[in-house]
Each structure stands twice: as C-alpha cells, then as structure tokens.
Amino acid sequence: YLYLSKNNFERIPKSIIQLSKLSCLYLSYCGKLQSLPKLPCSLHKLHAHHCTALESLSGLFPKSYESCPPRFELNGNYNLDRNVVGGILEDALQNIQHVATARWEHMHAREKISYPEFEGFAILPGNEIPKWFCFQSMGSLIKLKTPPA
C-alpha cells in the first residue's frame, strides 16, 4: 500500500513500476498531479479521485484480473483526456469479456470449478454513457444474455 493523497507533486516517478508488490495506490486530492506513468502489474486498487489537473495516464488493465478484480476511482478528474477514459472503458470491457468467456466455457464443459466473486469497478469522470456501450438501459439493473447451454 502506498498513501500519497493530498500532496502537491505534479508527477510520479516512472520508477514506480519497479514496486512489484504494490497492490493499492492512494493519490486522491493531489490537485497538481498532471499524469500517471505506467503502473505495476500487481496494482489492483487505485484511488485517484479529485486530482483536478490529471490529464493523462498509462493503461490500467495490463493483465487479466480474474483472481483479483480491479478497483479504480478516477471521478472528479474532468481534465482527463476523453480518449484515455474511452481506452480505460474498452480495456475494462475486454477484461470482463475474457473472464466471462472463460467461466462460461468451464461451466459449459461441466467442469467443477469454483470461482471467487468477481466485483471490480472503474469510477470515471463524466456524465454520459458512451454510444458504443451496448448495455444501456433505464433503471438500476443491467441484464446480460448468455448463449444457450
């Protein structure tokens, strides 16, 4: 765990990627933080909300998170490039599809595999659902259809 919240630095050193056991990084309310370098693959929790100068960051989904789903909070960062936000959403969707497909294949093959609960999230700035997001609906539920058995 690395707690750096409420500091006045503009950047984090690229050498942070060498922290191979870093699982949680707290950067909330770092108002001058402008960018994040590539983060360690071991990272599964990033709290970087209300970093109002944050404009760019490197990919946050570098590997499959089947065993430990990611929790990324980036809300309140309205200067964050829309392409970056879109990339995070695309990476998250691909990761979810990968995990869901693997679990479906094991279930369809009648393999007796127990999976831990998968509950990751990414809280991103903005007030719109991207048009390409195919699970749009009114209400508090999203229903996903799985292929017939």
Side-chain angles (χ1 to χ4, degrees):
Y1 293 81
L2 183 57
Y3 296 90
L4 298 173
S5 296
K6 298 181 181 178
N7 277 291
N8 288 322
F9 44 78
E10 294 177 3
R11 288 180 182 74
I12 299 220
K14 290 180 181 181
S15 59
I16 193 169
I17 197 162
Q18 296 174 5
L19 300 177
S20 62
K21 295 189 181 193
L22 182 65
S23 62
C24 302
L25 179 59
Y26 296 87
L27 296 168
S28 298
Y29 298 99
C30 291
K32 294 183 180 180
L33 183 64
Q34 297 173 3
S35 64
L36 285 177
K38 189 169 173 111
L39 299 169
C41 289
S42 56
L43 188 76
H44 69 270
K45 189 180 289 186
L46 173 65
H47 291 267
H49 51 88
H50 295 91
C51 297
T52 54
L54 189 63
E55 295 177 357
S56 66
L57 48 94
S58 295
L60 293 177
F61 290 86
K63 63 175 184 135
S64 172
Y65 284 96
E66 189 167 334
S67 61
C68 190
R71 290 179 165 93
F72 297 137
E73 291 187 28
L74 296 167
N75 55 311
N77 301 329
Y78 297 107
N79 286 327
L80 198 56
D81 184 283
R82 283 199 174 277
N83 292 327
V84 170
V85 172
I88 293 168
L89 288 173
E90 286 178 31
D91 290 348
L93 185 57
Q94 284 180 349
N95 189 270
I96 290 167
Q97 288 174 334
H98 169 75
V99 171
T101 301
R103 289 184 180 190
W104 176 256
E105 288 172 355
H106 288 135
M107 190 174 74
H108 187 66
R110 308 245 192 278
E111 295 178 22
K112 303 284 187 208
I113 297 175
S114 175
Y115 289 103
E117 185 176 323
F118 187 86
E119 184 182 289
F121 60 81
I123 302 172
L124 302 169
N127 59 359
E128 298 175 4
I129 298 173
K131 289 184 178 21
W132 57 262
F133 191 75
C134 58
F135 302 115
Q136 295 188 34
S137 67
M138 296 298 289
S140 60
L141 297 175
I142 296 174
K143 294 182 182 178
L144 303 174
K145 292 185 179 183
T146 57

